């Protein structure tokens, strides 16, 4: 397919890189990352090949929830810089061809936000109805308590007015009431403000909580999402809403906008992620095949965001209890590695025991899955976690630039990993000089992914590998085909595939050297090493593989 088709809908085959300004690079040597430090690393990010930066919250905050407790939606946390620093960062990123999106955390504020301080001052206050109040604490569904280690209810009594306020997360984060038209208008104003400063969109935090926990109930909660999307499209046609919607597929699809695709532009594939971990734990493809075949097609112009790890815990809440125990046993057997009884607070490289071959296979699987890959900073060099940090903070450690750390000339505000994952063992500088490093593998995967729009735009099909340990699929678009084959076990495998429509084609290995010829009956045998992986482009003998995507039209 023609690459020109992909430019308007840039998000459909983007590579999204999530980072926390506070932990990425310190530019003024106070031990805290900031926008000046981040700006100085733009060329590193551009050289890696990522196309979109997703910033975790950078707003003023009491910092009781790592910035997700916000006191001002229109400014920058002074520790991280100024609005001027932010604008310079965005301009530099755009100059290198990078788009920038940011966390939109508007389902709640900090209890120190001026709106809430006014709201709780009196039942007749100006901002009273900007939050959800009740004369009595409504019965709690235990499943509704997101952080059971810290909270026992989602209602908190405010003694001054003798009413309860709703907090879907922590008690210091009262929920905004989007049932109030003034709140909805203010949220649109926030989006518009940051778009004027150069943002290309937003990752929307906890979307179901945003539109469901309101008073009075909206006649159609999804109408609010459609209104936000329409507002953004009027301001900038290429802007996106990337939604955090951790629901079963049938319940998730309406967040795209039913068949219209007029609400969230993209949704994270939590089900696929969890099944991928179950497959890796078992060394069997079946769970991943199940998710692959059940995942609905995203509406036209929308896309799935695929990932293996992110900035939160590795949630396994959609697995059965037995399946969850399997993943725990394989990747986080110690109690301190687990969190909330449903997830892991580890990074991928440590969960895979530092086995570089297996780690490379896992990331190859990520980038070959139909959708837009999302990666978390430091994954490209195999950073580990700090289990001495509290909760989810274990994975939010300072970026490791050199043997000395390289994050700051001062003592970092946060401690990073030690032992085999300490900066003297895992860092950018060393891996830049090592052609076999994980960093170079990421650069290759990103380059090949961008050269193969079929992976993101094409029609995906699971292939029968005849081997329970091997996951094989193909993606077809406009007559062009790309195959991906992954061995989930630790022994070498030979895989026999039937490739209908590709009889007598040549398969060119995209991650290494070599070719294979498909027989006249559409058969081909592919050898795979332990935890081996291959991407292959199909072409006819007379067409060079680099031209196969275009010549097929």
């Amino acid at each position: 397919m023609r690459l020109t088709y992909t430019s308007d809908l840039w998000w459909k085959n983007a590579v999204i890189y999530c980072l926390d300004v506070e932990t990425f690079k310190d530019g003024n040597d106070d031990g805290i990352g900031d926008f000046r430090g981040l700006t100085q690393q733009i060329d590193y990010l551009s050289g890696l090949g990522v196309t979109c930066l997703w910033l975790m919250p950078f707003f003023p905050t009491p910092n009781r929830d790592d910035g997700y407790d916000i006191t001002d939606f229109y400014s920058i946390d002074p520790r991280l810089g100024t609005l001027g620093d932010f604008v310079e960062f965005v301009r530099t990123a755009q100059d290198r061809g990078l788009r920038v999106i940011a966390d939109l955390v508007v389902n709640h504020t900090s209890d120190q936000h001026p709106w809430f301080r006014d709201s709780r001052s009196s039942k007749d206050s100006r901002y009273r109805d900007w939050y959800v109040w009740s004369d009595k604490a409504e019965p709690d569904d235990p499943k509704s308590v997101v952080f059971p280690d810290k909270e026992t209810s989602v209602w908190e009594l405010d003694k001054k007015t003798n009413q309860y306020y709703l907090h879907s997360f922590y008690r210091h984060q009262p929920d905004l009431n989007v049932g109030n038209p003034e709140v909805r208008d203010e949220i649109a104003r926030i989006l518009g403000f940051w778009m004027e400063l150069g943002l290309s969109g937003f990752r929307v935090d906890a979307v179901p909580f945003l539109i469901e926990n309101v008073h009075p109930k909206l006649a159609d909660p999804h109408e609010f999402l459609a209104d936000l999307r329409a507002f953004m499209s009027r301001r900038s046609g290429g802007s996106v809403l990337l939604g955090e919607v951790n629901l079963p597929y049938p319940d998730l699809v309406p967040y795209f906008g039913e068949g219209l695709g007029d609400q969230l532009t993209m949704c994270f594939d939590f089900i696929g992620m969890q099944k991928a971990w179950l497959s890796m734990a078992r060394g069997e493809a079946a769970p991943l095949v199940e998710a692959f075949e059940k995942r609905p097609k995203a509406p036209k112009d929308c896309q799935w965001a695929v990932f293996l790890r992110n900035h939160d815990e590795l949630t396994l809440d959609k697995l059965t209890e037995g399946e969850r125990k399997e993943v725990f046993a394989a990747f986080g057997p110690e109690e301190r590695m687990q969190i909330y009884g449903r997830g892991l607070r580890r990074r991928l490289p440590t969960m895979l025991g530092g086995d570089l071959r297996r780690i490379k296979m896992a990331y190859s699987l990520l980038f070959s899955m139909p959708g837009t890959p999302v990666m978390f900073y430091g994954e490209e060099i195999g950073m580990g976690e700090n289990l001495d940090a509290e909760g989810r903070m274990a994975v939010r450690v300072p970026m490791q630039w050199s043997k000395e750390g390289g994050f700051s000339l001062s003592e970092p505000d946060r401690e990073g990993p030690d032992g085999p994952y300490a900066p003297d063992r895992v860092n950018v500088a060393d891996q830049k000089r090592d052609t076999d490093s994980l960093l170079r593998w990421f650069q290759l995967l990103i380059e090949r992914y961008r050269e193969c729009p079929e992976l993101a735009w094409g029609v995906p099909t699971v292939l029968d590998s005849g081997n329970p340990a091997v996951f094989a699929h193909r993606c077809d678009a406009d007559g062009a085909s790309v195959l991906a084959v992954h061995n989930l076990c630790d022994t070498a495998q030979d895989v026999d595939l039937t490739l209908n429509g590709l009889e007598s084609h040549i398969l060119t290995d995209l991650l290494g050297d070599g070719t294979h010829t498909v027989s006249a009956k559409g058969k081909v045998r592919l050898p795979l090493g332990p935890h081996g992986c291959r991407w292959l482009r199909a072409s006819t003998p007379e067409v060079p593989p680099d031209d196969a995507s275009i010549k097929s039209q």
Side-chain angles (χ1 to χ4, degrees):
M1 61 181 296
R2 292 175 181 160
L3 288 178
T4 51
Y5 291 168
T6 69
S7 58
D8 285 341
L9 306 179
W10 62 268
W11 56 88
K12 293 198 71 168
N13 67 327
V15 178
I16 300 176
Y17 187 99
C18 173
L19 65 89
D20 187 350
V21 178
E22 187 175 346
T23 57
F24 200 66
K25 179 67 176 178
D26 178 11
N28 62 359
D29 300 326
D30 64 353
I32 300 172
D34 48 47
F35 276 104
R36 291 190 179 185
L38 171 57
T39 303
Q40 290 300 115
Q41 301 302 323
I42 288 293
D43 284 331
Y44 164 76
L45 294 166
S46 175
L48 181 60
V50 300
T51 64
C52 178
L53 305 180
W54 156 21
L55 305 183
M56 293 167 63
F58 49 78
F59 312 98
T61 172
N63 218 27
R64 297 182 65 185
D65 186 24
D66 197 27
Y68 285 86
D69 48 331
I70 296 168
T71 58
D72 183 357
F73 290 102
Y74 295 98
S75 190
I76 303 289
D77 185 336
R79 300 174 307 142
L80 310 183
T82 66
L83 280 172
D85 294 330
F86 174 83
V87 171
E88 285 189 339
F89 154 70
V90 172
R91 181 196 176 282
T92 306
Q94 291 175 341
D95 177 69
R96 304 307 198 270
L98 298 173
R99 291 178 171 86
V100 182
I101 65 174
D103 262 323
L104 181 68
V105 188
V106 289
N107 54 291
H108 60 254
T109 69
S110 164
D111 61 2
Q112 300 303 306
H113 195 293
W115 298 341
F116 187 69
R117 294 176 72 174
D118 176 87
S119 179
R120 74 191 316 180
S121 67
S122 165
K123 290 183 179 181
D124 300 319
S125 69
R126 163 75 176 81
Y127 290 98
R128 186 69 176 182
D129 291 338
W130 282 46
Y131 295 85
V132 182
W133 295 92
S134 177
D135 288 330
K136 59 181 180 179
E138 298 178 14
D140 285 316
D141 177 354
K143 295 180 180 179
S144 70
V145 179
V146 177
F147 301 122
D149 61 329
K150 299 291 185 181
E151 304 290 349
T152 57
S153 173
V154 295
W155 293 95
E156 181 71 10
L157 177 64
D158 183 70
K159 294 181 180 179
K160 183 173 182 178
T161 59
N162 200 35
Q163 279 192 316
Y164 293 83
Y165 64 85
L166 178 68
H167 60 90
S168 297
F169 297 94
Y170 296 110
R171 69 188 66 185
H172 59 80
Q173 294 171 327
D175 281 17
L176 280 167
N177 179 21
V178 300
N180 184 334
E182 289 185 349
V183 174
R184 297 198 297 273
D185 288 346
E186 189 68 26
I187 291 174
R189 192 172 293 113
I190 293 167
L191 269 63
F193 176 83
W194 291 105
M195 290 175 69
E196 288 297 317
L197 295 183
L199 290 189
S200 295
F202 304 88
R203 173 261 187 186
V204 190
D205 188 54
V207 184
F209 294 98
L210 173 65
I211 66 172
E212 297 291 349
N213 294 352
V214 300
H215 180 78
K217 292 291 185 182
L218 296 172
D220 181 2
H222 288 271
E223 186 177 344
F224 174 52
L225 292 179
D227 288 344
L228 282 184
R229 176 77 176 279
F231 169 81
M232 291 177 61
S233 296
R234 290 194 299 271
R235 293 291 179 93
S236 174
S239 57
V240 300
L241 286 175
L242 168 58
E244 181 190 34
V245 186
N246 183 12
L247 295 173
Y249 287 136
D251 299 326
L252 183 150
V253 169
Y255 286 83
F256 278 121
E258 296 296 348
L260 299 176
D262 62 348
Q263 295 179 33
L264 296 176
T265 320
M266 308 170 69
C267 286
F268 287 104
D269 184 4
F270 281 92
I271 305 296
M273 176 273 291
Q274 296 180 47
K275 292 295 187 179
W277 280 104
L278 183 59
S279 278
M280 288 191 288
R282 292 178 175 175
E284 298 177 356
L288 189 54
V289 170
E290 177 190 4
F292 196 100
E293 294 181 337
K294 287 184 177 179
R295 191 180 79 173
K297 181 180 178 181
K300 187 175 183 290
D301 296 350
C302 293
Q303 183 59 295
W304 289 99
V306 294
F307 67 107
L308 288 176
R309 281 300 282 116
N310 63 12
H311 61 296
D312 287 331
E313 75 276 8
L314 172 64
T315 183
L316 302 168
D317 63 322
K318 297 300 182 289
L319 300 182
T320 66
E321 184 176 354
E323 292 170 340
R324 193 156 44 245
K325 287 181 178 179
E326 289 184 65
V327 179
F328 281 167
F331 302 124
E334 299 178 30
E335 186 174 346
R336 67 180 187 140
M337 299 172 178
Q338 302 166 16
I339 188 169
Y340 310 138
R342 62 172 187 260
L344 292 166
R345 58 190 203 104
R346 308 189 73 194
R347 280 175 171 258
L348 183 148
T350 59
M351 285 192 281
L352 298 185
D355 183 343
L356 186 58
R357 182 171 53 187
R358 196 177 185 189
I359 293 168
K360 287 184 174 181
M361 183 278 295
Y363 286 122
S364 170
L365 180 64
L366 167 65
F367 278 90
S368 69
M369 292 299 292
T372 296
V374 181
M375 53 184 291
F376 188 43
Y377 78 94
E379 286 195 283
E380 71 272 21
I381 58 172
M383 279 174 50
E385 69 279 346
N386 174 17
L387 290 175
D388 290 332
E390 184 178 3
R392 298 183 293 181
M393 299 297 287
V395 301
R396 302 175 187 178
V397 291
M399 183 65 178
Q400 297 171 187
W401 296 102
S402 66
K403 287 183 180 296
E404 297 75 27
F407 167 74
S408 175
L409 294 180
S410 300
E411 187 71 22
D413 189 51
R414 303 183 191 180
E415 292 186 15
D418 56 15
Y421 298 94
D424 64 335
R425 304 282 295 276
V426 177
N427 64 76
V428 172
D430 285 351
Q431 294 196 25
K432 279 185 173 180
R433 293 188 288 268
D434 181 357
T435 57
D436 293 323
S437 69
L438 185 59
L439 177 62
R440 294 305 185 193
W441 180 249
F442 261 86
Q443 289 176 317
L444 176 64
L445 289 175
I446 293 172
E447 181 179 313
R448 294 294 181 262
Y449 170 78
R450 295 287 289 172
E451 291 172 350
C452 297
E454 295 86 357
L455 292 173
W457 285 69
V459 176
T461 306
V462 175
L463 300 172
D464 182 4
S465 70
N467 187 319
V470 176
F471 179 71
H473 74 283
R474 62 185 280 184
C475 295
D476 302 280
D478 295 335
S481 301
V482 173
L483 287 71
V485 188
H486 292 83
N487 180 10
L488 301 173
C489 75
D490 58 2
T491 58
Q493 305 289 328
D494 286 334
V495 181
D496 294 307
L497 299 176
T498 299
L499 303 175
N500 295 325
L502 298 180
E503 294 81 0
S504 302
H505 277 56
I506 305 297
L507 300 180
T508 301
D509 201 321
L510 300 177
L511 302 180
D513 296 324
T515 60
H516 299 266
T517 301
V518 183
S519 74
K521 295 183 178 180
K523 308 289 185 180
V524 68
R525 170 167 288 190
L526 299 173
L528 291 167
H531 295 303
C533 54
R534 311 187 77 158
W535 295 13
L536 304 118
R537 177 173 286 287
S539 62
T540 56
E542 65 274 10
V543 176
D546 289 345
D547 294 334
S549 183
I550 299 175
K551 298 295 185 182
S552 62
Q553 299 174 64

